[in-house]
Amino acid sequence: MIEALTNNTNKPSALHEKSGVNAPDSVSATVVKNIQHFRKKQPSADELTKGILASNITALSRSITLVESTNIQHLAKANSIINACLPHANKSIRIGITGVPGVGKSTFIEAFGKHLTSLGKKVAVLAVDPSSSISHGSILGDKTRMEELVKDPNAFIRPSASGDTLGGVARKTRETITLCEAAGFDTIIIETVGVGQSETAVHSMVDFFLLLKIAGAGDELQGIKRGIMEMADAIVINKADGDNIKKAKLAKTEFNRALHLFPAKKSGWTATTSTCSAITQEGIPEVWNTITDFMQLTSANNYFNIKRTQQNEYWMLETINAALKLHFYGNPEVESVLIETKKAVQEAILSPFAAAQIVLEKYFKK
């Protein structure tokens, strides 16, 4: 059959494949060489600090990576950068945003962030993604979900994995706030992994705590049972658009009644409830107006400064606790006796409490 497709002059048939032009390299060798050279070069702590103070996003990102690193060799360098940035920090308002999965946190933050940048604000979003308890990995897809805000020159989005940290925040979120403030960001938004009783961690590092809710997700008064309601400075019913507007207004009324059951806040502020739609932008400016009113009140009665001082003390103690835990489990003698006691507990030879006492005695007697 192939012979039939060729003519008598032995010319190639239509099935004949001519040798084409070699495809060019998709990546320039020069570019690759430059990137490799850049990656090999490790800037000093002073260089990174100068970059942060000059609002260089690359320097800020690399410094946050150092701060988040569990490598002991990076600790001294990270601490040097943080200490150098401290005098230039504490000049922002820190806003914590939480809510159940599906409430629309990322969509709300994008709409809210775009509103703030339109007012001339510089916004840093520290988004915390939950880490898998099995693979220990995180998707870190917040930049994808905030595709408009991520392109804004006055916005910076940094997703981080929560790791084994409770409270809906990453292990080094507090230090990251300091670096972002030193880089000139005057509004810091912390998006937590979700809502729960351990949400005190994010509450202890922000000035204003915003709880997002949606209507029709169950009994609105169920929120009374959660400690999160007591910590919230404002409750915003999101997705108040389309056919959901009526439900959102009803939910607002219910939550407003629930808030009156809680004792007065030390700040003198009365928590507010409102509705908004991140899609239509309805209610977004009002959320910022509420935060502005809160700042004016707490600055006037000095609660703002008192809370910041208390937060600094809290995080000093938390840092000590984290360092002690790291030192404890990193001790070779503790590691050795821990393996033996674990086996004894698994075989029901020792109770967990007795085994813990043996390990602790070994640590303190070393």
Side-chain angles (χ1 to χ4, degrees), residues 3 30 98 100 192 227 232 354:
E3 292 178 358
T30 304
T98 191
V100 296
T192 72

Side-chain angles (χ1 to χ4, degrees), residues 63-88:
S63 298
I64 293 174
T65 300
L66 280 175
V67 167
E68 292 179 339
S69 174
T70 56
N71 189 328
I72 300 297
Q73 296 177 350
H74 294 161
L75 182 62
K77 192 173 182 180
N79 285 338
S80 177
I81 296 171
I82 293 169
N83 289 334
C85 288
L86 271 176
H88 307 276

Side-chain angles (χ1 to χ4, degrees), residues 232-304:
D233 295 305
I235 297 176
V236 176
I237 317 299
N238 194 21
K239 301 184 180 181
D241 44 45
D243 297 335
N244 208 37
I245 294 178
K246 186 176 181 180
K247 292 180 181 178
K249 289 182 177 179
L250 179 61
K252 172 189 171 182
T253 302
E254 295 292 344
F255 280 117
N256 198 41
R257 290 172 182 169
L259 287 174
H260 286 87
L261 300 176
F262 295 112
K265 293 179 178 292
K266 294 180 180 179
S267 62
W269 172 259
T270 301
T272 64
T273 57
S274 63
T275 61
C276 82
S277 169
I279 303 298
T280 65
Q281 310 294 312
E282 287 288 332
I284 296 295
E286 286 73 16
V287 173
W288 176 243
N289 291 339
T290 297
I291 296 174
T292 302
D293 291 341
F294 173 86
M295 290 296 296
Q296 290 176 349
L297 174 69
T298 55
S299 296
N301 63 19
N302 203 37
Y303 177 79
F304 180 86

Side-chain angles (χ1 to χ4, degrees), residues 61-359:
S61 299
R62 296 188 74 163
S63 298
I64 293 174
T65 300
L66 280 175
V67 167
E68 292 179 339
S69 174
T70 56
N71 189 328
I72 300 297
Q73 296 177 350
H74 294 161
L75 182 62
K77 192 173 182 180
N79 285 338
S80 177
I81 296 171
I82 293 169
N83 289 334
C85 288
L86 271 176
H88 307 276
N90 296 308
K91 298 176 182 178
S92 76
I93 176 171
R94 305 164 185 170
I95 305 167
I97 298 180
T98 191
V100 296
V103 76
K105 292 190 293 292
S106 296
T107 308
F108 171 82
I109 290 173
E110 179 171 50
F112 186 56
K114 290 292 291 182
H115 174 69
L116 293 179
T117 56
S118 71
L119 298 177
K121 301 289 183 182
K122 291 195 67 178
V123 181
V125 179
L126 307 181
V128 185
D129 268 9
S131 296
S132 169
S133 59
I134 299 174
S135 66
H136 304 290
S138 294
I139 297 176
L140 302 179
D142 293 275
K143 283 190 175 183
T144 305
R145 288 179 291 191
M146 303 180 196
E147 56 183 12
E148 292 299 323
L149 187 62
V150 76
K151 294 182 288 188
D152 195 311
N154 288 322
F156 171 70
I157 302 175
R158 174 72 182 206
S160 299
S162 63
D164 58 357
T165 307
L166 294 176
V169 293
R171 186 174 59 90
K172 294 292 185 177
T173 301
R174 181 63 181 82
E175 289 91 332
T176 302
I177 291 174
T178 299
L179 299 184
C180 289
E181 289 177 338
F185 291 97
D186 51 32
T187 308
I188 313 293
I189 298 175
I190 303 173
E191 178 194 358
T192 72
V193 299
V195 65
Q197 291 284 0
S198 60
E199 218 57 4
T200 51
V202 67
H203 183 256
S204 64
M205 66 175 70
V206 299
D207 306 310
F208 189 91
F209 197 50
L210 177 64
L211 174 61
L212 283 182
K213 287 279 191 179
I214 49 175
D219 183 4
E220 278 73 22
L221 291 180
Q222 189 73 10
I224 296 175
K225 298 180 181 178
R226 297 181 176 178
I228 191 70
M229 289 280 289
E230 294 187 60
M231 292 185 285
D233 295 305
I235 297 176
V236 176
I237 317 299
N238 194 21
K239 301 184 180 181
D241 44 45
D243 297 335
N244 208 37
I245 294 178
K246 186 176 181 180
K247 292 180 181 178
K249 289 182 177 179
L250 179 61
K252 172 189 171 182
T253 302
E254 295 292 344
F255 280 117
N256 198 41
R257 290 172 182 169
L259 287 174
H260 286 87
L261 300 176
F262 295 112
K265 293 179 178 292
K266 294 180 180 179
S267 62
W269 172 259
T270 301
T272 64
T273 57
S274 63
T275 61
C276 82
S277 169
I279 303 298
T280 65
Q281 310 294 312
E282 287 288 332
I284 296 295
E286 286 73 16
V287 173
W288 176 243
N289 291 339
T290 297
I291 296 174
T292 302
D293 291 341
F294 173 86
M295 290 296 296
Q296 290 176 349
L297 174 69
T298 55
S299 296
N301 63 19
N302 203 37
Y303 177 79
F304 180 86
N305 293 327
I306 293 173
K307 186 178 180 182
R308 282 281 180 100
T309 302
Q310 292 173 343
Q311 288 177 348
N312 289 337
E313 293 175 1
Y314 172 84
W315 284 102
M316 180 192 75
L317 297 177
E318 284 296 302
T319 303
I320 292 173
N321 291 337
L324 288 173
K325 184 179 178 180
L326 184 64
H327 187 269
F328 176 82
Y329 285 107
N331 184 281
E333 295 183 12
V334 169
E335 285 187 58
S336 177
V337 72
L338 196 57
I339 294 172
E340 297 176 7
T341 51
K342 277 184 178 180
K343 186 177 180 181
V345 169
Q346 290 169 355
E347 296 175 354
I349 297 173
L350 280 175
S351 72
F353 309 103
Q357 190 62 35
I358 292 172
V359 176

